[in-house]
């Protein structure tokens, strides 16, 4: 990886994108906008949890999401 000439450029772009996403998340939090982050990846995504925390959002791991499971989770989240 470190020998790939594009590696550092891609890493810098990723870090910039994450910083910008966190800034937007904090703006959403400051605006008082309710939010929910649903992770449908097979493995936990720490960056999504970090983003949800910055947003003041609820974070839900939902691997192997189906329409029914997603509907149930969204219904429960809207009731709170």
């Amino acid at each position: 990886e470190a020998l790939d000439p594009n590696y550092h450029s891609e890493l810098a772009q990723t870090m910039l994108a994450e910083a910008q996403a966190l800034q937007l998340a904090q703006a959403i939090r400051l605006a008082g906008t309710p939010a929910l982050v649903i992770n449908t990846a097979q493995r936990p995504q720490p960056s999504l949890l970090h983003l949800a925390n910055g947003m003041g959002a609820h974070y839900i791991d939902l691997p192997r999401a189906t329409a029914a499971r997603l509907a149930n989770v969204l219904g429960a989240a809207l009731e709170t």
Side-chain angles (χ1 to χ4, degrees), residues 29-48:
R29 177 185 216 142
L30 289 173
T33 305
L36 174 66
V37 174
I38 301 175
N39 176 19
T40 60
Q42 293 299 317
R43 296 188 177 131
Q45 302 292 317
S47 59
L48 287 180

Side-chain angles (χ1 to χ4, degrees), residues 9-25:
S9 176
E10 292 172 7
L11 182 61
Q13 289 174 356
T14 299
M15 291 174 67
L16 177 61
E18 288 175 356
Q20 290 172 336
L22 188 55
Q23 284 180 326
L24 290 173

Side-chain angles (χ1 to χ4, degrees), residues 2 5 10 20-21 24 27 32 35 38 42 49 53 65 68-69 73-75 80:
E10 292 172 7
Q20 290 172 336
L24 290 173
I38 301 175
Q42 293 299 317
L49 179 57
N53 287 338
R69 287 186 73 201
V73 166
L74 290 174
T80 60

